Amino acid sequence: MRPELEPGISNAADASFKAFRLVQPAFKSHWHYHPELELVYFARGRGMRFIGDDIALYQEGDLFLIGENLPHTFVSYPEESTPLVDAYCLQFSRHLFSPFAECQPLQHLFDAARRGLFITTPGEDLIEKIRQVATTTGIPALAGLLDLLGSLCQETEPTPILQQTYQRHAVLSDTTSRIRVAIDYINAHYQHPITLAEMANTCHFSPNAFCRWFKQHMGLTFIDYLNKVRLTHVCQLLISTDLSIGQIAVQTGFDNISTLNRLFQHKLHSSPRRYRGQHGF
């Protein structure tokens, strides 16, 4: 499917934006987008983030500002040590602030968020403002949101997540509604062999047509995307478990340890063993 549109985020009769806290066992794959911007802070939990064509790890303490209509999803790791996701989400329209000349700096921030922004090590003051906005209503909530976004503009320069060449509109114009099927299928089955014929059949294409279609809409070939998903899981297991590299290769869908080592070196310019030594066990 195409990324799913989430309607009605900020059209409640008594509120011009939506702020809420999510405490739940996990985030499951839900490839979606919405016309509002979204600020997401993870107070607890970790896993993989998919924003546009970017795949990477997220962890406790991470803060993201996701631009309007930017497809995304977060997928949790079902670890016994972190069985819950505790996240704060604020969803709002840029037009909420456009009538005010004083808010012009916010529009520059919102423009930058079209590529997705990762705010590293947000300060305690900023985090507390996020919590306050998510737990109040009415005028105090609106004033708190404005104060929060003003502080965000003054934070250390956020890191853009996507390249400027990312073709966001190509993803959204997928009239055949099959991108979400492809993304969710890969997320659910990456631990096992996934053939081109299998993916093409799942998305109702011939193999050649699927290859062209996937590259056009995701900016990566199917194999490159699948390998990126697997390598991200490999990185997570290297830094959070004491599994052997051979065991990790099996758990992440690689046919043997040599394939994993070769691809890891090519994509991350390091060996799995060296990566583990630098970041984890």
Side-chain angles (χ1 to χ4, degrees):
M1 291 183 184
R2 64 190 289 181
E4 180 180 343
L5 171 65
E6 283 191 349
I9 288 175
S10 59
N11 61 358
D14 59 349
S16 56
F17 72 99
K18 188 172 183 179
F20 53 96
R21 181 183 182 186
L22 283 174
V23 179
Q24 57 192 52
F27 277 149
K28 296 183 179 180
S29 181
H30 176 47
W31 186 240
H32 68 285
Y33 71 100
H34 35 71
E36 290 82 6
L37 293 100
E38 182 170 55
L39 188 70
V40 184
Y41 170 68
F42 286 94
R44 188 177 182 185
R46 57 180 172 179
M48 291 181 65
R49 58 175 170 87
F50 299 76
I51 300 176
D53 62 2
D54 181 79
I55 307 168
L57 300 174
Y58 76 86
Q59 61 186 351
E60 179 178 317
D62 284 354
L63 176 62
F64 301 94
L65 181 60
I66 301 169
E68 59 262 62
N69 297 320
L70 179 56
H72 60 280
T73 189
F74 295 90
V75 182
S76 302
Y77 285 122
E79 301 174 19
E80 292 183 5
S81 60
T82 56
L84 291 177
V85 170
D86 186 357
Y88 292 84
C89 302
L90 282 62
Q91 298 166 333
F92 53 91
S93 169
R94 69 158 56 216
H95 302 301
L96 183 61
F97 308 98
S98 57
F100 308 106
E102 295 85 351
C103 293
Q104 190 58 39
L106 297 184
Q107 301 302 325
H108 298 307
L109 177 68
F110 301 158
D111 287 340
R114 293 179 184 274
R115 295 170 59 190
L117 297 176
F118 175 41
I119 296 90
T120 57
T121 59
E124 266 307 317
D125 181 61
L126 190 65
I127 294 169
E128 182 57 30
K129 288 179 180 180
I130 293 172
R131 293 193 179 104
Q132 288 294 324
V133 173
T135 55
T136 56
T137 59
I139 293 175
L142 180 60
L145 176 63
L146 183 57
D147 182 38
L148 164 63
L149 293 174
S151 297
L152 193 59
C153 283
Q154 299 173 22
E155 282 282 308
T156 303
E157 190 70 22
T159 304
I161 294 170
L162 301 176
Q163 299 294 322
Q164 291 182 326
T165 54
Y166 170 65
Q167 297 296 312
R168 175 181 52 178
H169 297 296
V171 175
L172 297 180
S173 65
D174 176 30
T175 57
T176 56
S177 299
R178 285 176 275 195
I179 279 291
R180 184 180 172 194
V181 167
I183 299 301
D184 288 350
Y185 192 89
I186 292 170
N187 288 344
H189 297 89
Y190 73 91
Q191 293 175 301
H192 309 287
I194 303 177
T195 65
L196 174 59
E198 180 182 352
M199 285 300 304
N201 182 64
T202 298
C203 297
H204 306 292
F205 281 108
S206 70
N208 287 340
F210 173 79
C211 287
R212 293 191 299 270
W213 171 82
F214 193 91
K215 176 67 180 295
Q216 175 188 358
H217 289 85
M218 293 305 299
L220 297 169
T221 67
F222 157 63
I223 294 299
D224 282 344
Y225 188 90
L226 174 60
N227 284 334
K228 195 170 185 180
V229 170
R230 286 174 170 163
L231 286 175
T232 305
H233 282 286
V234 168
C235 291
Q236 187 273 333
L237 292 173
L238 285 171
I239 64 179
S240 64
T241 76
D242 59 358
L243 292 173
S244 71
I245 295 172
Q247 289 173 311
I248 290 174
V250 171
Q251 287 199 16
T252 52
F254 288 99
D255 51 4
N256 57 64
I257 192 173
S258 296
T259 301
L260 168 57
N261 283 331
R262 184 172 61 254
L263 189 63
F264 202 96
Q265 182 68 48
H266 177 66
K267 296 295 186 181
L268 282 81
H269 309 291
S270 176
S271 69
R273 192 175 305 279
R274 189 181 307 121
Y275 183 92
R276 168 174 273 172
Q278 293 171 339
H279 299 91
F281 284 85

